[in-house]
Amino acid sequence: MQYVNQPVMKKDAMALVTGQPVFMDDVAPADCLIVKLLRSPHANAIIEDIKIDAAMRVPGIEAIYTWKDVPQQRFTLAGQTFPEPSPYDRLILDRHVRFVGDPVAIIAGSTEKAVDRAMKIIKVKYQVLEPVLDFHTAKDNAILVHPEENWKALCPVGADNKRNLCATDFSEEGDLDQVLSECDIVVEGTYHTKANQQAMMETFRTCCYLDTYGRLNILSSTQIIFHVRRIVSNALGIPKSKIRVSKPRIGGGFGAKQSAVCEIYPAFVTWMTKKPSKIIYTREESQIASSPRHEMEVKVRIGAMNSGKIRAIDVYTLSNTGAYGEHGPTTVGLSGHKSISLYRNLEAYRFAYDVVYTNEMSAGAYRGYGATQGLFAVETTVNKLAARLNIDPVKLREQNMVQEGDTMPSYYHETATSCALDRCLARAKEMIGWDEKFPCRDMGNGKVRSVGVAMSMQGSGISGVDVGSATIKLNDDGIYTLMIGAADMGTGCDTTLAQVAAECLDCCLDDITVFSADTDLSPYDSGSYASSTAYITGGAVVKACGKLREKITQKGAEMLGCDASDAEFSGKEVFCNSTGASVSLTDIATRSMVGNHEALQVTEANSSPTSPPPFMVGMVEVEIDKETGALDIIDYVGVVDCGTPLNPNLARVQTEGGIAQGIGMALSEDIQYTQKGQLMNNSLMQYKIPSRLDVGRIRVELESSYESSGPFGAKSIGEVVINTPSPALAHAVANATGLWIDELPITAEKIAMGLLAHED
Amino acid sequence: MMIKLNLNGKSVSADVAEDSLLIDFLREHGCYSVKRGCETSNCGLCTVFLDGKPVLSCSLLTVRADGKTVHTLEGLQKEAEEFGAFIARQGAEQCGFCNPGMIMNAIAMFRENPDPTDEEILEYLAGNLCRCSGYEGQLRGIRAFLDYKKSKGETAICNM
């Protein structure tokens, strides 16, 4: 192939490395009002009184809005297709504030100084209520996070605001209790993962202005332009036809920008004042009032025979959605569906969950989307099982892991149509030297080196739900414009989708101009999330280019006076098979602009009834100081089956980046609340994301299967890569020390204290 | 107060507030490559040169630049292009938001140490956070750039 599966440079790469002004705040109108939010200092309170008169008199203040000024219909900020599974539980500003950081007032002014000053002199009187801060006690607690009558769930997800329930469900196949009772061994564990922050380098930000037609234009750093249009329409109570949403370059997303975290505030300001406005979240705001990973407690039971045959898996997940339900009902599902399904021929499984409201920051979508949490739990339990059975954990997996052609009952009964997990495991084992290094080596200086392993799977889009579309049009000079609604957030999809188009159209990559994304101009795309873009939107590009080829052939044949069935398109010209006459693409393009009845432009949509999983194996070697508990990563090996990698360079960097982000979650990124519900890890000083000194060496290889339903055999890559570090590192720690640390992050302190307790 | 500085080769005089931060001053003067990532001196995105030395412009008062020379990536386009292409060939620029700060600091490193080991590279750039790349691709790009410079018999020092 000319372009697909080639390591071409991203189309925007040189603009990015030379620091061109391509991000939201680089291109926002100069005269924007500065918008900031006064936030609640209480985790649960009712605003009794709010005085803004003095603040309004601060020179430069344009407007201050409180709960009295905003529409009263509830909505969700979750970027999901309609009807959203996430409950409608938000107002732009609510009299009832539900976490420390919940907005109390919107302040807009001509300068940041004026806004800061006004914020200081707004007087708020709160009736402080007792909060629900322990998610174990939230369900059926007497304190309700959402007591209001106009709370609404659009989908039957088991939500009940009068029970603090955002969702609940139960599914099983086979007689779990019976099968477990027949097993030689049942291993159990309870695992706790935290509400990690995506911590993309560009914080949340949006600017708004009215256009010539009085429409609200929203330029936002978002993964979901079309959902933002609906969310803002719901929030402001204005028709979608009055709203246009577009995105510039995005400084990282990782799912954070799959919720409309900040858009509604400047949108409201601009709609009310008719003046341009912008909001730029501080890092602190991005830490305390955004859309992090759902904190989960996952209980696992695995039943097996002494031979190593795994017969049954039981998973129960308790998920903390925080004060609002964004992505609550959906993330939790992956904690079971994408962990249990790694293991084949189970005689029984059960997966149940509760998603509860608490008075903490709302959670949202974060790369991995629940699978990360579930895989930490299930993979760690499998590693414990191997230890208990005294079987090599790699061999245990070889014996039980899903294989190509298997039906996966716990994965919506889909078939593993493409799966190279076995090759991933074999290659990872070889790369890290598993047989020589497992389980550990005492280095003789108080340090121990050990290895750990974990597997992972994800999906490629949401089956039967996600839609990707592509418009491809021929321009004069014979070059093309590819218009998409997917959002390149650094992942490189503008480039990979252009590679697909160039491959389909037999043209140079430079001949494809990519435009994304704008609700007025782009064809509909549900957005860049759920690992959907390569597989779903990529499929749309293939379809659209195929149709355009037919149209070009038709037009060329018409110009040649030959029958279309006798004509072929080579990418450069259309030629007539029987006469040998040809007409160039440039001439066809020019002709299409004179006296033409048939647009040489095609839009195609794509959706998929299945979501073929990519697979991955991660293996790590660590060195642990038994005196201090300090852990150094020596080597991290990741081998991924993403089907055909559209761009091997970008697939590799996705994997390296996902592993590093997963290492942060596993080892250092903690979320802690005070007893009053204030988040303590509110800066990059307190919330330690990995630096380049913290990740060791990361080595990645791709072991491709071929997914025939995907574009050129491609599956997804974006999310599957974050899931292995937590279980692999927990395993390595256990192999070095005998300690199973079931609560993330696995800090030096936990290791050292655990070792001390062992000595006692 | 009135200050005067040399910004990317041009003399700039301005009346700035005492509490103005250099990052805001630079962005107001069109240097949009300078990004804010954290406000707590942790991320390195706002790295610029003050009299040729890398500093974090989010933690420096603008008045401290009075009488000094400031360079941002806008003033080092040739170097950014030459070195940046090696990062881009790895696909390691990813979202690009941290790139200008990292590239500024890498240029500073090449000036101080034209032939760094991998360990020296990781150490020097430890204050430049990146959430996308996992850092490996950046290291490959830096190595490839240094090898290229060596093969051409050039040192990696970027002239100002």
Side-chain angles (χ1 to χ4, degrees):
Chain A
M1 283 178 286
Q2 189 82 26
Y3 289 109
V4 166
N5 197 19
Q6 299 301 317
V8 302
M9 194 190 282
K10 268 170 59 190
K11 280 178 166 284
D12 53 355
M14 290 314 293
L16 295 174
V17 295
T18 56
Q20 301 307 308
V22 293
F23 295 94
M24 192 294 281
D25 196 34
D26 305 338
V27 295
D31 55 348
C32 278
L33 292 170
I34 304 297
V35 179
K36 289 197 180 194
L37 305 172
L38 173 67
R39 296 180 180 279
S40 166
H42 304 293
N44 191 13
I46 305 289
I47 297 169
E48 284 188 339
D49 190 33
I50 180 159
K51 287 195 167 59
I52 61 166
D53 314 19
M56 276 303 292
R57 286 196 294 270
V58 172
I61 290 300
E62 176 77 22
I64 298 175
Y65 302 108
T66 70
W67 66 272
K68 295 171 194 163
D69 303 310
V70 301
Q72 290 302 305
Q73 71 274 13
R74 292 190 182 268
F75 56 92
T76 178
L77 295 180
Q80 300 179 303
T81 47
F82 185 84
E84 300 97 322
S86 302
Y88 278 21
D89 55 10
R90 292 240 187 203
L91 296 175
I92 300 174
L93 297 168
D94 202 328
R95 191 178 183 190
H96 185 176
V97 286
R98 296 178 176 81
F99 71 98
V100 177
D102 216 357
V104 170
I106 305 171
I107 307 156
S110 55
T111 66
E112 191 173 352
K113 268 190 183 159
V115 173
D116 287 344
R117 179 155 166 69
M119 191 184 299
K120 280 199 185 115
I121 54 181
I122 293 176
K123 289 267 182 295
V124 191
K125 196 174 159 206
Y126 296 95
Q127 179 197 344
V128 179
L129 306 171
E130 195 185 329
V132 186
L133 295 173
D134 178 358
F135 73 131
H136 298 95
T137 62
K139 184 173 154 183
D140 295 323
N141 196 302
I143 301 164
L144 292 180
V145 178
H146 284 279
E148 66 275 8
E149 293 302 324
N150 62 353
W151 175 98
K152 189 164 68 172
L154 275 58
C155 296
V157 294
D160 184 349
N161 60 323
K162 298 297 163 73
R163 299 184 63 200
N164 282 336
L165 261 184
C166 177
T168 183
D169 196 19
F170 175 92
S171 60
E172 66 177 339
E173 289 202 17
D175 188 337
L176 182 88
D177 295 323
Q178 178 66 32
V179 177
L180 284 180
S181 72
E182 292 166 11
C183 287
D184 292 335
I185 180 171
V186 176
V187 178
E188 300 186 23
T190 300
Y191 306 88
H192 185 192
T193 62
K194 300 293 181 65
N196 300 104
Q197 277 292 352
Q198 298 86 351
M200 61 283 158
M201 285 293 116
E202 183 198 40
T203 59
F204 301 92
R205 54 194 60 195
T206 300
C207 75
C208 298
Y209 54 92
L210 297 187
D211 66 16
T212 317
Y213 311 102
R215 295 168 75 231
L216 178 63
N217 277 239
I218 300 174
L219 179 69
S220 186
S221 183
T222 179
Q223 300 170 223
I224 43 154
I225 53 164
F226 288 98
H227 297 332
V228 167
R229 185 172 64 181
R230 179 182 61 251
I231 291 164
V232 171
S233 162
N234 287 346
L236 271 58
I238 62 175
K240 296 180 188 73
S241 58
K242 293 281 182 199
I243 305 167
R244 174 189 185 188
V245 184
S246 59
K247 66 140 209 60
R249 289 293 96 185
I250 303 172
F254 312 108
K257 296 169 183 175
Q258 195 199 333
S259 295
V261 170
C262 72
E263 285 85 348
I264 54 174
Y265 309 109
F268 187 68
V269 167
T270 293
W271 191 248
M272 298 299 285
T273 63
K274 311 300 173 199
K275 293 184 178 177
S277 72
K278 70 176 177 185
I279 194 164
I280 295 178
Y281 271 26
T282 61
R283 179 58 61 184
E284 182 180 357
E285 287 179 297
S286 285
Q287 287 290 121
I288 66 159
S290 46
S291 58
R293 193 180 288 292
H294 285 75
E295 176 187 29
M296 289 187 191
E297 183 180 84
V298 186
K299 289 181 196 288
V300 181
R301 285 193 297 166
I302 298 183
M305 304 309 281
N306 287 330
S307 64
K309 171 66 196 150
I310 295 175
R311 295 180 61 188
I313 301 181
D314 180 19
V315 173
Y316 168 76
T317 303
L318 177 66
S319 173
N320 180 2
T321 196
Y324 301 97
E326 276 90 22
H327 300 279
T330 41
T331 43
V332 70
L334 280 69
S335 71
H337 299 146
K338 284 168 185 163
S339 57
I340 299 168
S341 311
L342 278 174
Y343 295 95
R344 69 191 309 228
N345 297 338
L346 296 179
E347 290 162 58
Y349 82 87
R350 183 190 291 156
F351 174 42
Y353 58 75
D354 290 304
V355 184
V356 294
Y357 281 117
T358 61
N359 291 111
E360 294 178 349
M361 162 176 36
S362 168
Y366 181 0
R367 196 180 202 176
Y369 204 79
T372 318
Q373 297 94 311
L375 282 161
F376 169 56
V378 168
E379 285 298 276
T380 302
T381 311
V382 168
N383 284 329
K384 288 179 184 174
L385 173 68
R388 290 271 298 277
L389 291 172
N390 201 23
I391 294 178
D392 183 325
V394 172
K395 290 210 173 72
L396 186 71
R397 286 182 171 81
E398 285 168 349
Q399 198 179 338
N400 291 288
M401 68 189 176
V402 63
Q403 298 190 3
E404 193 162 287
D406 283 354
T407 302
M408 300 173 284
S410 48
Y411 190 70
Y412 328 109
H413 282 274
E414 290 187 18
T415 302
T417 43
S418 57
C419 175
L421 186 57
D422 50 349
R423 280 190 277 138
C424 293
L425 187 64
R427 182 66 190 129
K429 186 180 164 186
E430 196 175 285
M431 283 170 75
I432 205 144
W434 182 267
D435 288 341
E436 301 80 60
K437 292 175 180 168
F438 174 76
C440 66
R441 292 171 295 161
D442 198 314
M443 305 306 284
N445 54 357
K447 295 182 177 177
V448 188
R449 285 194 180 190
S450 63
V451 286
V453 59
M455 305 195 299
S456 153
M457 65 183 279
Q458 201 78 34
S460 299
I462 307 172
S463 325
V465 172
D466 282 341
V467 177
S469 308
T471 297
I472 183 94
K473 120 177 128 166
L474 179 66
N475 304 303
D476 27 358
D477 278 357
I479 55 146
Y480 303 95
T481 306
L482 173 65
M483 292 153 86
I484 52 174
D488 190 334
M489 63 196 112
T491 47
C493 72
D494 284 359
T495 305
T496 52
L497 294 174
Q499 287 176 260
V500 171
E503 194 70 48
C504 293
L505 292 164
D506 287 308
C507 68
C508 294
L509 190 59
D510 285 346
D511 291 347
I512 309 278
T513 298
V514 184
F515 176 88
S516 73
D518 180 329
T519 53
D520 276 5
L521 299 170
S522 299
Y524 174 77
D525 194 293
S526 38
S528 284
Y529 59 84
S531 291
S532 62
T533 304
Y535 180 73
I536 298 287
T537 311
V541 173
V542 171
K543 279 191 196 174
C545 292
K547 285 262 173 73
L548 184 62
R549 283 190 76 107
E550 285 172 22
K551 284 192 161 207
I552 291 169
T553 310
Q554 181 83 39
K555 187 81 197 166
E558 198 182 296
M559 288 168 73
L560 291 168
C562 113
D563 198 282
S565 62
D566 191 23
E568 267 182 65
F569 176 47
S570 71
K572 292 203 163 50
E573 56 186 15
V574 169
F575 58 92
C576 180
N577 276 319
S578 43
T579 65
S582 69
V583 56
S584 74
L585 181 63
T586 312
D587 288 344
I588 295 171
T590 307
R591 188 75 184 83
S592 78
M593 295 179 178
V594 186
N596 182 33
H597 298 284
E598 187 72 25
L600 291 186
Q601 172 170 329
V602 174
T603 300
E604 282 289 316
N606 187 43
S607 190
S608 174
T610 61
S611 176
F615 296 96
M616 175 174 179
V617 172
M619 289 191 185
V620 67
E621 182 180 14
V622 303
E623 183 172 274
I624 292 172
D625 185 326
K626 293 182 96 162
E627 200 69 43
T628 64
L631 182 156
D632 283 324
I633 295 174
I634 308 293
D635 192 14
Y636 202 111
V637 164
V639 186
V640 188
D641 165 20
C642 61
T644 305
L646 295 178
N647 183 322
N649 257 5
L650 297 179
R652 181 185 190 183
V653 175
Q654 277 292 307
T655 310
E656 291 165 345
I659 289 171
Q661 209 168 22
I663 288 172
M665 173 183 179
L667 297 183
S668 62
E669 297 175 26
D670 206 355
I671 291 293
Q672 297 153 301
Y673 282 90
T674 65
Q675 286 188 340
K676 291 190 166 174
Q678 184 159 21
L679 201 157
M680 298 196 285
N681 319 80
N682 62 2
S683 73
L684 294 187
M685 205 175 286
Q686 309 292 333
Y687 186 78
K688 176 84 176 82
I689 69 172
S691 80
R692 66 193 75 217
L693 293 174
D694 302 317
V695 295
R697 296 314 291 267
I698 300 172
R699 296 188 291 144
V700 167
E701 287 194 11
L702 304 172
E703 277 290 340
S704 305
S705 63
Y706 187 89
E707 173 50 48
S708 54
S709 67
F712 297 96
K715 296 187 282 188
S716 80
I717 182 82
E719 295 183 274
V720 68
V721 293
I722 199 171
N723 298 330
T724 63
S726 292
L729 282 158
H731 189 210
V733 169
N735 286 334
T737 64
L739 295 171
W740 290 99
I741 296 177
D742 296 336
E743 182 189 71
L744 299 180
I746 304 165
T747 57
E749 184 184 357
K750 283 183 193 165
I751 296 172
M753 296 307 278
L755 286 170
L756 271 179
H758 254 248
E759 281 171 18
D760 296 344
Chain B
M1 64 180 272
M2 282 303 295
I3 61 164
K4 194 175 172 189
L5 68 155
N6 186 297
L7 175 58
N8 291 326
K10 283 185 187 154
S11 178
V12 177
S13 299
D15 189 8
V16 300
E18 287 76 2
D19 60 353
S20 154
L21 293 170
L22 185 59
I23 182 173
D24 297 318
F25 174 86
L26 291 171
R27 287 188 62 87
E28 281 157 20
H29 284 76
C31 300
Y32 293 114
S33 74
V34 187
K35 301 288 193 265
R36 184 180 259 118
C38 71
E39 302 120 21
T40 47
S41 309
N42 288 96
C43 73
L45 265 63
C46 63
T47 305
V48 300
F49 292 167
L50 185 69
D51 280 349
K53 294 274 183 261
V55 294
L56 297 176
S57 61
C58 78
S59 309
L60 201 75
L61 292 171
T62 308
V63 293
R64 296 289 294 272
D66 187 23
K68 295 193 160 53
T69 299
V70 175
H71 279 92
T72 69
L73 210 59
E74 280 79 3
L76 296 168
Q77 284 291 290
K78 198 171 140 282
E79 290 86 344
E81 232 171 83
E82 188 187 25
F83 166 57
F86 285 83
I87 299 295
R89 268 176 221 134
Q90 298 295 334
E93 77 287 353
Q94 290 287 294
C95 85
F97 204 72
C98 75
N99 287 189
M102 185 275 287
I103 289 177
M104 289 298 291
N105 215 21
I107 292 171
M109 171 176 71
F110 299 144
R111 291 225 232 104
E112 276 180 42
N113 180 0
D115 191 19
T117 63
D118 284 2
E119 286 64 35
E120 284 168 338
I121 293 168
L122 298 180
E123 187 81 32
Y124 198 100
L125 299 178
N128 294 95
L129 296 179
C130 168
R131 194 60 157 167
C132 296
S133 74
Y135 305 110
E136 283 290 341
Q138 292 184 356
L139 183 62
R140 282 195 296 277
I142 293 168
R143 273 268 74 94
F145 171 71
L146 291 168
D147 291 348
Y148 162 79
K149 282 297 210 184
K150 251 188 203 168
S151 73
K152 286 187 68 182
E154 292 174 14
T155 61
I157 296 175
C158 299
N159 298 318
M160 297 288 292

